[in-house]
Amino acid sequence: MRNIFLVIKREYMVRVKKKSFLIMTILAPVLFVGGYALVIWMAISSVDSKTVQVVDESGLFTNEFKDSESIKFSYLKSSIDSAKSHFTGSEANALVYIPKNVITSPKSVRIYAPKNVSMDLKSEIEDVIEKQIENIKLSEAGITHKILEDSRVNVHSETISLSEEGEKTSSSGAATIIGGICAFLIYMSVFIYGTQVMRGITEEKTSRIVEVIISSVKPYQLMMGKIIGVALVGLTQFVLWIFLTISLTTVASSVLSSKMPKDSRQIQQEMQKMQKGMPASQMAASGVDNPVAEVLGAVNSLNIPLIVSCFLFYYLGGYLFYSALFGAVGAAVDNDADTQQFMLPITLPIIFSFVFAQVVLRDPDGTLAFWTSMIPFTSPIIMMVRIPFGVPAWQIALSMIFLILGFMGTIWIASRIYRVGILMYGKKVTYKELAKWIFYKV
């Protein structure tokens, strides 16, 4: 154990002290949050105020076009020909022409501009005209706009889990999102850190450093120390990423909120006032959306302690399971070119797991979901997709037992290959040769 601990300490400290580790640990959250913040900031700040002139021959749209932070409307009393002649020399961005027969011929509306107008501006103009025409036609038919609005119903169902413990609110949307995120993180970590183990072993083998190390440390101890050391590096990086991402997101959201248009902030303030003064049940009954409360309620409906603890187990279990195989490949080859033939059988189950996860999200209790969450090759990803939806305790326990047994099996196989391959140079290794190494008596 002392030798394994020394190898773990060496592998951890060597990688953590690297400039590349420090740069990527800080740079990844900055790029992720900064990229989204930059896009939002540019979208907010790049929208210039536009002036739109309106020639309404029908007289039905007076004061129907409302000014906003980005669009200012002005009504002209002149004819369309006169308006077009003066439009070129004006600073207006668009000229809207509404003919007298717009009710019977709504497609006769014209928008004139020096160049193509944006889809947002075009859609806003068309929406105003469409709603006003609808109101006029409804009034002629004896149906008021209020009657029409009252007839519209927004159904928002609430999912409730029934169990022996009683009723509990659940959220399918939150379960899908959390399960997908957990599966993706495990998928990426197995590839990234498993490959680091393989490359680290290959580099030490080709540089002949391993010949010196192996004189004082057994091959099994060296391999275990490398695998666990890189796992701790991965966990450290994940924790730092989460902390930095949350901190940067908080700062970015506060900065961007001050850059939002006034009308958007006013809407948010009104919503917050309504949320403070209205109970959740009354708000749901009145049909008022409460996005913040809905998100918090969805997250609270999940068993967060179980999800976090299972994520840590399957993250480590999946990593250890596959890293042993990656380590065996690194010990068997002399260069990166030779790793390709042995990488395919290892990476295919990981890729298939992520593909199966898309199906499992639709049916988390199906036959495919059950069996793929039991097989160690696919269980780390598939089980994390299922857990937010609710999985029986016996299935989780059985899956964990199979993953532990699978890890012990891959470690045994990898160590048998490692002890022979780590000192083997200049020989083209085949699958048949690997099978012989497993049963060599050394």
Side-chain angles (χ1 to χ4, degrees):
M1 284 300 296
R2 181 175 178 275
N3 289 338
I4 294 178
F5 177 75
L6 291 174
V7 176
I8 292 172
K9 182 179 178 181
R10 174 185 174 274
E11 292 295 322
Y12 182 82
M13 296 306 297
V14 165
R15 284 173 168 78
V16 169
K17 287 182 178 179
K18 284 184 178 179
K19 290 184 178 179
S20 58
F21 175 85
L22 298 174
I23 291 172
M24 285 307 301
T25 300
I26 298 173
L27 197 61
V30 171
L31 290 176
F32 178 76
V33 177
Y36 277 100
L38 180 62
V39 171
I40 296 172
W41 180 81
M42 291 180 65
I44 294 172
S45 60
S46 63
V47 177
D48 299 325
S49 179
K50 295 179 174 59
T51 303
V52 178
Q53 296 177 345
V54 180
V55 176
D56 181 17
E57 291 184 349
S58 65
L60 302 174
F61 297 89
T62 305
N63 299 325
E64 291 296 326
F65 293 94
K66 306 297 182 183
D67 293 343
S68 64
E69 287 285 325
S70 58
I71 304 175
K72 305 294 182 184
F73 293 95
S74 62
Y75 291 86
L76 302 179
K77 301 296 183 182
S78 58
S79 63
I80 184 60
D81 294 330
S82 175
K84 285 194 294 184
S85 62
H86 291 88
F87 175 74
T88 306
S90 67
E91 296 182 355
N93 301 98
L95 172 64
V96 180
Y97 168 61
I98 305 175
K100 291 182 180 180
N101 62 338
V102 66
I103 301 296
T104 56
S105 181
K107 293 185 179 181
S108 59
V109 175
R110 297 288 181 267
I111 300 176
Y112 300 94
K115 54 184 179 180
N116 286 337
V117 297
S118 65
M119 287 299 297
D120 289 341
L121 179 59
K122 184 174 182 292
S123 298
E124 184 169 344
I125 293 171
E126 290 176 350
D127 288 344
V128 172
I129 296 173
E130 286 174 359
K131 289 180 181 178
Q132 183 65 3
I133 292 175
E134 287 178 0
N135 291 337
I136 293 171
K137 289 187 174 182
L138 289 171
S139 298
E140 292 176 351
I143 303 174
T144 63
H145 187 69
K146 185 178 184 305
I147 295 174
L148 184 64
E149 287 296 328
D150 292 341
S151 66
R152 292 175 181 171
V153 179
N154 182 18
V155 178
H156 181 76
S157 62
E158 181 181 4
T159 54
I160 299 174
S161 299
L162 289 176
S163 62
E164 296 179 356
E165 299 175 356
E167 298 183 3
K168 182 182 178 182
T169 304
S170 60
S171 174
S172 301
T176 302
I177 294 172
I178 296 297
I181 292 174
C182 291
F184 180 75
L185 290 176
I186 294 176
Y187 172 79
M188 292 300 297
S189 65
V190 168
F191 266 118
I192 294 173
Y193 300 110
T195 306
Q196 283 188 18
V197 173
M198 182 186 68
R199 289 179 177 174
I201 292 174
T202 304
E203 288 173 3
E204 289 183 353
K205 179 181 177 179
T206 53
S207 63
R208 302 296 178 94
I209 296 176
V210 71
E211 294 180 2
V212 178
I213 300 174
I214 214 73
S215 62
S216 55
V217 180
K218 293 181 180 180
Y220 175 80
Q221 295 173 337
L222 180 60
M223 185 184 67
M224 282 296 297
K226 281 185 171 296
I227 291 173
I228 297 174
V230 175
L232 295 176
V233 172
L235 278 176
T236 303
Q237 198 166 49
F238 264 134
V239 171
L240 292 175
W241 276 347
I242 293 170
F243 175 76
L244 290 174
T245 301
I246 293 173
S247 302
L248 291 172
T249 302
T250 304
V251 174
S253 60
S254 62
V255 172
L256 290 174
S257 62
S258 63
K259 295 287 185 181
M260 292 178 65
K262 292 180 180 179
D263 51 354
S264 298
R265 292 203 299 269
Q266 288 173 355
I267 292 172
Q268 285 186 340
Q269 291 172 0
E270 291 298 325
M271 288 295 295
Q272 289 173 359
K273 290 179 183 178
M274 293 174 65
Q275 291 165 11
K276 290 179 181 178
M278 186 183 299
S281 58
Q282 184 179 348
M283 187 175 296
S286 61
V288 178
D289 293 330
N290 185 351
V292 176
E294 186 174 351
V295 171
L296 292 176
V299 173
N300 291 332
S301 67
L302 302 176
N303 191 342
I304 300 299
L306 176 64
I307 294 173
V308 172
S309 58
C310 288
F311 173 78
L312 291 175
F313 176 86
Y314 282 104
Y315 168 83
L316 290 173
Y319 163 79
L320 294 173
F321 180 87
Y322 278 102
S323 290
L325 299 177
F326 279 116
V329 172
V333 300
D334 293 334
N335 52 68
D336 291 338
D338 294 337
T339 61
Q340 300 305 317
Q341 61 173 324
F342 299 109
M343 284 284 288
L344 185 62
I346 300 175
T347 56
L348 278 180
I350 307 174
I351 296 172
F352 285 150
S353 298
F354 199 69
V355 174
F356 290 150
Q358 316 304 315
V359 181
V360 173
L361 282 172
R362 299 180 181 179
D363 186 13
D365 296 318
T367 304
L368 177 66
F370 173 79
W371 287 110
T372 51
S373 62
M374 295 297 145
I375 301 173
F377 284 96
T378 56
S379 63
I381 293 176
I382 302 301
M383 185 55 85
M384 282 313 306
V385 172
R386 295 185 61 202
I387 285 174
F389 290 93
V391 180
W394 69 269
Q395 291 188 18
I396 297 176
L398 188 62
S399 174
M400 289 181 172
I401 292 171
F402 285 158
L403 183 58
I404 293 171
L405 293 175
F407 165 64
M408 293 172 63
T410 54
I411 282 290
W412 182 82
I413 293 173
S415 62
R416 307 284 289 186
I417 296 174
Y418 188 91
R419 62 178 184 159
V420 179
I422 198 66
L423 297 175
M424 189 77 68
Y425 300 98
K427 184 175 182 179
K428 196 75 173 180
V429 181
T430 62
Y431 285 107
K432 185 177 180 180
E433 191 72 21
L434 287 179
K436 290 181 180 179
W437 290 0
I438 295 175
F439 299 102
Y440 274 168
K441 294 183 179 180
V442 179

